[in-house]
Amino acid sequence: MPRVLVVEDSGATRAYVRGALTAAEAGGNLIEVVEAESGFEALRLLPRGDWALVITDVNMPDINGLELLSFIRSSERHRATPVLLMSTQTSERDRERGMKLGAAGYLAKPFTPQELRDEALRHMRSAEVESQHG
């Protein structure tokens, strides 16, 4: 079962993301969602296994999503893990900054559950295909 790490300081948004990823339309309980309420907690959880996807908010009070993304890209174990950024900041400059750091995608809040599912599944499938072909 693929595991997705959701990093978001808002409990309501974490619940929204969890609901979107585990809804019947997304295959029900075919994805394990692990939640982290901060970048520090994400850094504690990351070494505990392999992740099919990390979804992180950009704006968090301690380690922000871009710093977390930089850590993931510098980690030998997790550098190929796709990272989907989400933010209320919708400027093209913010999106470009995230993509230059190695994000797989960028979702501007608010987004629908279907938009989130589509993005998450697309990046998870793409990473799976890349890992099979070396």
Side-chain angles (χ1 to χ4, degrees):
M1 176 183 297
R3 292 189 324 150
V4 175
L5 179 60
V6 176
V7 188
E8 166 65 59
D9 57 326
S10 162
T13 303
R14 285 195 314 274
Y16 182 81
V17 170
R18 172 186 287 279
L21 294 177
T22 59
E25 298 92 325
N29 292 322
L30 297 177
I31 297 174
E32 178 186 358
V33 176
V34 177
E35 298 178 19
E37 63 182 35
S38 70
F40 281 128
E41 186 175 5
L43 292 177
R44 186 177 59 79
L45 292 170
L46 277 168
R48 295 186 181 180
D50 294 320
W51 303 92
L53 178 67
V54 174
I55 301 174
T56 182
D57 188 17
V58 171
N59 299 308
M60 293 186 288
D62 51 22
I63 297 173
N64 70 41
L66 297 176
E67 292 167 327
L68 179 61
L69 172 60
S70 292
F71 173 82
I72 291 169
R73 289 295 165 258
S74 66
S75 163
E76 182 70 33
R77 182 175 184 181
H78 300 292
R79 83 172 36 142
T81 303
V83 176
L84 180 59
L85 298 173
M86 54 184 177
S87 178
T88 54
Q89 298 176 350
T90 57
S91 77
E92 189 57 34
R93 193 175 104 210
D94 294 329
R95 180 183 302 270
E96 285 179 15
R97 187 170 167 217
M99 301 310 279
K100 282 183 180 176
L101 288 171
Y106 188 102
L107 268 177
K109 296 178 187 175
F111 46 79
T112 67
Q114 187 64 52
E115 289 172 322
L116 175 62
R117 278 193 296 274
D118 290 348
E119 279 291 300
L121 293 175
R122 182 169 68 89
H123 295 301
M124 288 169 40
R125 286 183 187 129
S126 178
E128 186 178 325
V129 167
E130 286 181 26
S131 72
Q132 291 173 353
H133 295 287

